[in-house]
Amino acid sequence: MCGRYAATLPPEMMVELFNLLNQIDFPPRYNITPTQPIAVVWEQSGRRTIQLVRWGFVPGWVKDPREFSLLINARAETMAEKPSFRDAVRNSRCIVPASGYYEWMKGKDGVRRPYYITMADGSPMVFAGLYSTWSGPDGEEVDTACIVTVEPNLEISSIYDRMPAMLTGENVDLWLNTRDIDTRAATQLALPLPAGSLKYHPVGKAVGRTDVDEPALIREMSAEELAAEDETRARKPKKAAAGGGQLDLF
């Protein structure tokens, strides 16, 4: 699952990297969470633009999005057959620019700790995504998107059993080209990156809070800081589990 990520690329850099026809003012984000606006790039009639959409895919055939499950990820292995995604795999593919993403790993002590994962060479990440435009009964329209996931590569397998499908080189262009690249060819682009492509480091648990979004979230924590954070957490009284069917992203 990819349920938290950071996107800090300047708007002008995204225009240059992805040959965009437009630019949007999107401030650096260090803790992007589901249901929030995310910047995605898609191509229509050969024209490539960047748009702000809701993270949480809603197929066009859904009658009431409030009663539909939150789809933040699509599994690459099954997306072409799933009713929710199959039309988007053929006609509505997008990319999601990112600087890095977070994943939680359970340690030997049973404690789950967040890690920040980036490209080993420091380059931007390009997640494969799918988008949809939902139209309401009163004519309102809402653009939504999700991130495609695949099995983990060697380094990520020690943290979690899934990872975002990341595109590099000409695969970015091929993924966006829904005119010439069909469903079968597109699914073959969504693959784990080769071993050695990524690096990661432990970060503070504040990233688990949806109300925190600051550069300090991606800073590598030292062993002493990690121990102090765990000790502080252990001293705090445990809160009663919240009710109401709250979705647990991790």
Side-chain angles (χ1 to χ4, degrees):
M1 173 184 288
C2 176
R4 288 280 201 283
Y5 76 97
T8 63
L9 297 176
E12 58 273 12
M13 181 180 293
M14 286 198 281
V15 170
E16 182 176 353
L17 281 175
F18 304 117
N19 298 316
L20 304 178
L21 294 176
N22 69 320
Q23 178 177 310
I24 58 174
D25 292 327
F26 191 66
R29 295 291 311 280
Y30 298 89
N31 191 14
I32 301 174
T33 64
T35 74
Q36 292 182 347
I38 63 173
V40 307
V41 173
W42 63 55
E43 188 175 296
Q44 296 176 334
S45 301
R47 298 168 61 86
R48 193 175 294 183
T49 60
I50 187 167
Q51 309 289 340
L52 285 179
V53 306
R54 175 185 179 269
W55 186 9
F57 188 92
V58 179
W61 46 260
V62 170
K63 292 183 177 180
D64 187 352
R66 293 170 298 182
E67 298 178 357
F68 191 72
S69 300
L70 185 66
L71 300 177
I72 64 172
N73 296 147
R75 296 176 69 94
E77 300 89 340
T78 59
M79 62 183 178
E81 289 78 40
K82 292 288 186 179
S84 294
F85 303 123
R86 60 190 177 198
D87 287 342
V89 177
R90 178 62 190 92
N91 302 306
S92 304
R93 300 191 297 266
C94 64
I95 58 172
V96 184
S99 303
Y101 75 101
Y102 302 93
E103 198 54 84
W104 271 245
M105 178 174 65
K106 182 181 290 188
K108 295 180 180 179
D109 55 1
V111 176
R112 303 185 78 181
R113 174 161 302 285
Y115 284 76
Y116 184 57
I117 303 165
T118 61
M119 299 294 288
D121 61 3
S123 62
M125 288 179 166
V126 181
F127 300 155
L130 304 173
Y131 74 93
S132 174
T133 300
W134 178 82
S135 299
D138 298 324
E140 69 272 29
E141 292 188 345
V142 180
D143 292 324
T144 64
C146 65
I147 295 171
V148 177
T149 66
V150 293
E151 293 185 354
N153 66 2
L154 181 62
E155 55 260 36
I156 302 304
S157 63
S158 62
I159 299 179
Y160 199 68
D161 60 2
R162 301 293 294 177
M163 65 181 290
M166 300 181 209
L167 304 168
T168 59
E170 67 173 3
N171 284 353
V172 174
D173 298 327
L174 296 174
W175 179 262
L176 290 175
N177 184 0
T178 57
R179 295 176 302 171
D180 305 314
I181 305 301
D182 61 15
T183 295
R184 182 176 180 181
T187 56
Q188 294 174 351
L189 299 173
L191 300 170
L193 289 178
S197 300
L198 302 170
K199 62 180 180 179
Y200 57 85
H201 60 256
V203 296
K205 294 180 180 177
V207 71
R209 294 174 49 186
T210 59
D211 61 334
V212 179
D213 188 350
E214 58 188 20
L217 292 177
I218 66 174
R219 183 180 66 84
E220 182 173 3
M221 297 276 279
S222 66
E224 293 76 16
E225 290 173 317
L226 294 174
E229 186 178 65
D230 289 341
E231 183 177 352
T232 299
R233 181 176 180 272
R235 288 200 301 264
K236 290 184 177 180
K238 293 184 177 180
K239 296 182 180 180
Q246 180 69 27
L247 177 68
D248 183 4
L249 292 177
F250 305 110

